[in-house]
Amino acid sequence: MGFQENGNGDLGLSQIPLGTKNKYKRMSSEFADDNGDILQQERRNSTRKYVIACAIFASLNNVLLGYDVGVMSGAVIFIKEDLNISEVQVEFLVGILSIVSLLGSLGGGRTSDIIGRKWTMALAAVVFQAGALTMTLAPSYAVLMIGRILAGIGIGFGVMISPIYIAEISPNVSRGSLTTYPEIFINVGILLGYVSNYAFSGFSAHINWRVMLAVGILPAVFIGFALFVIPESPRWLVMQNRIDEARAVLLKTNEDEKEVEERLAEIQQAAGFANCEEQPVWRELLFPSPALRRMLITGIGIQCFQQISGIDASVYYSPEIFQAAGVEDKSKLLAATVVVGITKTIFILVALILIDKLGRKPLLFISTIGMTVCLFSIGVTLSLFGQGPLVIALSILFVCGNVAFFSVGLGPVCWVLTSEIFPLRVRAQASALGAVGNRVCSGLVAMSFLSVTRAITVGGAFFLFSGVSALAVVFVYTLVPETKGKSLEQIEMIFQNEHQRHGSEMELADVEQLVKNKTGLTK
């Protein structure tokens, strides 16, 4: 007696036909589909957690910068009292870190091309630790300055390499939010610095500022552990012709194996063009092509605007701002700075959520316009009114508003853009130039703020900052493109297009076609 076969004629365990029309289904195929979905989901979750862990560990160096900025705003009050230094020496002490950090940023660009992104982060931590320890034990102003210089060089290494590393290991869809992690950790560091000021202010003036600075050594310890967890950048590995290692890293940081091969092909393509160039990188940066010139103007310009709009004045000198409004008690001054730090940290999370959804350029518009309004309002409050509870409340409100708008856009997006827009061959050293511009402008603001306020009042200084912030709005509209959702190699092609103007966004298909054309030329 035979069996009637339906559909594909497969027989089940009871020799019952398992055709497509039979009510008995092959369960193994369903299990296979379910298992495939489960495995895919597990891979997706594992990849996401791994990339986030890498971004967190790579951002730890930025805690050091943030902590120094936050803690020094309160520590200088007691350093001035303990070491009996002048106001000019205070300005120099505060601002010198930003100036000398440009040495670290310049050196970091070259170092990261030689020893890799990962070990440049390690070098940054070691140099900063040496500086922090020197400052903690400093018996005099001269020794304190030596420690400050070492710490600045270490910070210079760290702030320029972290965004580059994260951008180079991140998937396209989440690169923006992940590259904001360094700015998040800067804000966490600033908040920790403010809390440290408040917590240790009760000690004697000879001890408290030393304890405040010593606490800054602790984050560097975790960086040592991080080196055993994070991989090297796949793009740097390709530049070193270590293709298999690069593929292994991409497999850990991307969910789709097909996307891994596409990304690897694009990176090899970019690296191939880089290796074909005979002139040194420094010569290419000094005499750039039109496309690279636009990249440099955009990258360095946005870095400079981030600082000359006065954010360091709001953070370093917030006690002086609140004193001008009428706050006299030191504990209340430091408590008010904690409020500023909390605000700055909370609003960076808004950028984390929106940067890959709303995009880079809209956040920059919101940020720079909001900062302009808040900076102008600080100037009006301190110039047109006297001192009193209302002026104090308005000053705290507008300072918090300024740092909030900064954290939403200009703070994190600045670093995201400079890690995205440059070609692989010059990325590290071009980004280093942007970091140098950032640090120089930061130092100039920090070292001149007190002198400027003596000349044109605190309110006048903030009118000046509001004018600079207004110029930043124009700069963003004119020169900054949207890079959301594009690969690093596709972003390069945006700047290659001579007709890309006013920050308008190219269609993704057009960019992909340009990449294909470039690939064909190479072949």
Side-chain angles (χ1 to χ4, degrees):
M1 181 176 178
F3 289 99
Q4 177 69 33
E5 295 188 7
N6 294 317
N8 59 10
D10 290 341
L11 300 178
L13 293 175
S14 301
Q15 297 301 303
I16 297 174
L18 295 177
T20 56
K21 297 180 181 179
N22 196 291
K23 66 178 180 179
Y24 299 98
K25 300 286 183 73
R26 177 180 286 278
M27 298 180 67
S28 62
S29 64
E30 292 185 359
F31 287 148
D33 291 341
D34 290 343
N35 288 338
D37 291 341
I38 292 171
L39 290 173
Q40 182 66 23
Q41 185 62 39
E42 288 179 352
R43 174 182 170 85
R44 189 177 295 114
N45 292 337
S46 175
T47 299
R48 187 179 298 115
K49 290 177 182 177
Y50 183 75
V51 174
I52 289 174
C54 290
I56 289 173
F57 284 132
S59 302
L60 288 176
N61 267 318
N62 294 69
V63 176
L64 305 178
L65 171 60
Y67 184 82
D68 182 272
V69 171
V71 79
M72 194 55 70
S73 67
V76 291
I77 298 173
F78 306 104
I79 292 172
K80 186 177 179 180
E81 179 183 342
D82 183 34
L83 300 182
N84 194 27
I85 59 178
S86 67
E87 194 171 84
V88 173
Q89 288 175 306
V90 169
E91 282 186 319
F92 200 68
L93 177 67
V94 171
I96 194 64
L97 181 133
S98 296
I99 297 296
V100 299
S101 65
L102 69 88
L103 300 176
S105 294
L106 281 174
R110 182 61 179 155
T111 303
S112 65
D113 282 341
I114 297 173
I115 66 175
R117 297 4 179 181
K118 175 178 173 178
W119 294 108
T120 299
M121 288 187 280
L123 180 62
V126 171
V127 176
F128 179 86
Q129 278 184 315
L133 186 61
T134 303
M135 287 191 293
T136 300
L137 302 176
S140 64
Y141 179 76
V143 177
L144 184 64
M145 286 298 296
I146 292 172
R148 192 86 173 136
I149 290 170
L150 286 173
I153 293 172
I155 285 174
F157 274 110
V159 296
M160 63 77 50
I161 197 59
S162 297
I164 293 174
Y165 174 83
I166 295 171
E168 291 187 344
I169 67 164
S170 300
N172 296 339
V173 294
S174 57
R175 187 180 63 245
S177 60
L178 290 171
T179 313
T180 63
Y181 277 37
E183 184 67 21
I184 292 174
F185 277 74
I186 287 177
N187 285 277
V188 170
I190 290 172
L191 179 57
L192 291 175
Y194 285 155
V195 172
S196 178
N197 285 338
Y198 187 73
F200 300 119
S201 61
F203 295 171
S204 69
H206 181 67
I207 298 296
N208 54 15
W209 65 269
R210 299 178 189 275
V211 177
M212 294 172 187
L213 297 179
V215 173
I217 299 173
L218 297 179
V221 177
F222 294 99
I223 297 170
F225 170 75
L227 296 175
F228 295 97
V229 177
I230 64 176
E232 183 53 84
S233 159
R235 285 168 171 82
W236 183 81
L237 291 170
V238 169
M239 288 288 287
Q240 306 303 309
N241 203 29
R242 294 156 62 176
I243 307 301
D244 290 338
E245 293 177 58
R247 181 182 286 107
V249 174
L250 288 170
L251 285 169
K252 289 182 180 180
T253 57
N254 288 268
E255 299 170 8
D256 189 352
E257 291 188 17
K258 180 181 177 182
E259 183 180 346
V260 167
E261 295 304 322
E262 290 175 355
R263 292 286 81 81
L264 185 61
E266 283 187 359
I267 295 168
Q268 287 180 279
Q269 177 69 28
F273 270 90
N275 292 330
C276 288
E277 299 288 345
E278 295 183 357
Q279 62 176 332
V281 170
W282 65 266
R283 185 182 296 275
E284 193 170 348
L285 293 175
L286 286 176
F287 306 100
S289 65
L292 182 56
R293 186 181 300 113
R294 287 194 294 274
M295 295 175 190
L296 290 169
I297 291 172
T298 300
I300 297 175
I302 199 70
Q303 288 276 15
C304 291
F305 273 116
Q306 188 201 58
Q307 293 300 327
I308 57 176
S309 55
I311 188 61
D312 275 0
S314 298
V315 176
Y316 271 128
Y317 296 110
S318 52
E320 282 75 8
I321 297 170
F322 300 142
Q323 277 181 330
V327 181
E328 296 179 356
D329 184 79
K330 287 183 180 179
S331 295
K332 290 181 179 178
L333 279 176
L334 296 178
T337 62
V338 172
V339 175
V340 175
I342 291 172
T343 303
K344 199 170 187 297
T345 304
I346 289 174
F347 277 87
I348 190 67
L349 300 178
V350 177
L352 176 67
I353 295 169
L354 295 180
I355 192 167
D356 281 319
K357 295 179 180 178
L358 193 60
R360 283 60 156 160
K361 192 161 185 171
L363 286 181
L364 284 175
F365 273 131
I366 293 169
S367 175
T368 50
I369 292 171
M371 286 175 62
T372 302
V373 172
C374 289
L375 290 165
F376 185 80
S377 299
I378 295 171
V380 170
T381 301
L382 296 178
S383 299
L384 301 186
F385 304 101
Q387 293 184 340
L390 177 61
V391 176
I392 293 171
L394 289 176
S395 296
I396 295 174
L397 174 64
F398 291 133
V399 169
C400 287
N402 181 46
V403 299
F405 279 112
F406 178 86
S407 292
V408 165
L410 192 57
V413 176
C414 163
W415 295 103
V416 173
L417 277 173
T418 50
S419 66
E420 290 179 329
I421 62 177
F422 296 112
L424 178 59
R425 168 177 164 78
V426 302
R427 181 172 298 141
Q429 296 188 52
S431 297
L433 288 179
V436 166
N438 182 286
R439 296 292 84 207
V440 168
C441 292
S442 171
L444 291 176
V445 170
M447 295 176 75
S448 64
F449 180 75
L450 293 179
S451 298
V452 170
T453 58
R454 298 295 177 269
I456 61 173
T457 75
V458 177
F462 278 93
F463 281 131
L464 187 62
F465 290 140
S466 68
V468 174
S469 184
L471 290 176
V473 179
V474 178
F475 181 87
V476 169
Y477 174 77
T478 307
L479 293 171
V480 177
E482 181 57 75
T483 59
K484 179 186 71 172
K486 297 176 176 63
S487 72
L488 298 179
E489 289 68 34
Q490 290 168 344
I491 292 169
E492 178 186 346
M493 300 308 298
I494 291 177
F495 287 90
Q496 297 289 350
N497 184 356
E498 291 288 341
H499 303 291
Q500 187 71 14
R501 289 289 184 269
H502 304 298
S504 59
E505 183 177 356
M506 289 180 66
E507 293 294 331
L508 186 56
D510 295 337
V511 178
E512 290 174 344
Q513 185 60 47
L514 285 169
V515 173
K516 290 178 182 178
N517 293 343
K518 189 175 180 182
T519 305
L521 287 172
T522 304
K523 291 180 180 179

